[in-house]
Amino acid sequence: MSYGDPNNNPYGPPQGQQQGYGYPQQQPQAPGYPQQQGQAPGYGYPQAPPVQQPYGAPAPMAAMPGTVGAARVMLWVIVGLQIIGVLLFAFAAVAIDKAKDDEAFAQIADYPTGVLWGFSVFALAWLVWAVMLATKFSTGGNGLRVTTLVFGILTAVFALYPFTIAGIIHLVLGILIAVFAGNSKGKAWFNRPRY
C-alpha cells in the first residue's frame, strides 16, 4: 500500500522513519480514533491546563511547611508546660493554705494564696489558648496566623516578666513560634487557596 506524498497524508508514517530494514510496519490509523502510544508528537490538540486553578496560578500547598509544623509542635510543648505550671501553682496554693495552721511554716503561710490561684487560672487560660491555636493550624487562615503571632509575642514578653527565671523556655518557644508563623512559608500556608 502506498501512502502517497507524506507531506499531504496525515495518516502516513511519521517523517524520518523508514519502513522495512528492521523497522516495524505501521498501520494507518482510522480518523476519529484516539492516538496510540508511541505515535509521533504533533498529531491532535495540545493538552489544556488544569481546570481547578486559574491559568498561571501556583498550585495550592498540599503539605504543611516544616517551619509551620515546628511552630505547631512548639504550641503543644507550651501546652505540656502549662499543665505542669497549673499543677504546681495549685499544689503550692493548697500547701500554703494547710501550712497556715503550723507554726514552723509561719513565714511561708504569710504568702497570699490568692496570687497562686490567680497564676493557676492564668496558666490554665494560656493552656486553652495554645490548644485552640495548635488544633486549627491545618484549617486556619490569615486570622489564625495573626493570632499565633500575638500569642508568640505575648508568651515571650510574659517569659521576661513576671516569670523571668522559670520562663526561659517560654521565651525561646514564644520567639520561635512568632518567627515561624510570621515568615514567608507561614504566610503562604495560612493564605493558601482552599478548594
Side-chain angles (χ1 to χ4, degrees):
M1 172 176 181
S2 174
Y3 290 111
D5 185 15
N7 294 328
N8 293 332
N9 188 356
Y11 302 111
Q15 293 180 353
Q17 289 188 3
Q18 297 178 357
Q19 304 246 333
Y21 299 113
Y23 292 102
Q25 182 83 17
Q26 291 188 351
Q27 297 294 326
Q29 201 169 3
Y33 286 98
Q35 292 184 351
Q36 294 180 4
Q37 294 288 347
Q39 184 118 6
Y43 294 107
Y45 295 102
Q47 187 174 0
V51 179
Q52 291 118 348
Q53 60 189 6
Y55 184 73
M61 298 178 87
M64 187 181 300
T67 55
V68 178
R72 184 183 205 178
V73 169
M74 289 176 203
L75 283 169
W76 286 114
V77 170
I78 286 180
V79 167
L81 292 173
Q82 292 303 111
I83 290 172
I84 293 170
V86 167
L87 294 175
L88 285 177
F89 286 132
F91 176 76
V94 169
I96 289 175
D97 277 341
K98 291 193 179 209
K100 287 185 179 183
D101 298 333
D102 193 0
E103 293 295 323
F105 298 106
Q107 252 184 350
I108 296 174
D110 290 340
Y111 194 82
T113 57
V115 172
L116 290 175
W117 285 114
F119 282 156
S120 182
V121 169
F122 179 73
L124 184 63
W126 213 256
L127 178 145
V128 169
W129 192 13
V131 166
M132 289 175 54
L133 290 175
T135 56
K136 299 240 182 219
F137 254 53
S138 58
T139 60
N142 196 43
L144 181 74
R145 177 178 165 261
V146 171
T147 307
T148 305
L149 283 168
V150 170
F151 178 85
I153 293 167
L154 287 178
T155 300
V157 168
F158 286 136
L160 290 175
Y161 182 80
F163 305 107
T164 307
I165 295 172
I168 298 297
I169 297 172
H170 278 78
L171 174 69
V172 172
L173 291 175
I175 290 170
L176 288 176
I177 288 169
V179 168
F180 289 161
N183 67 8
S184 62
K185 290 182 182 178
K187 184 177 181 181
W189 172 254
F190 289 112
N191 289 329
R192 74 192 182 282
R194 292 166 183 85
Y195 296 110

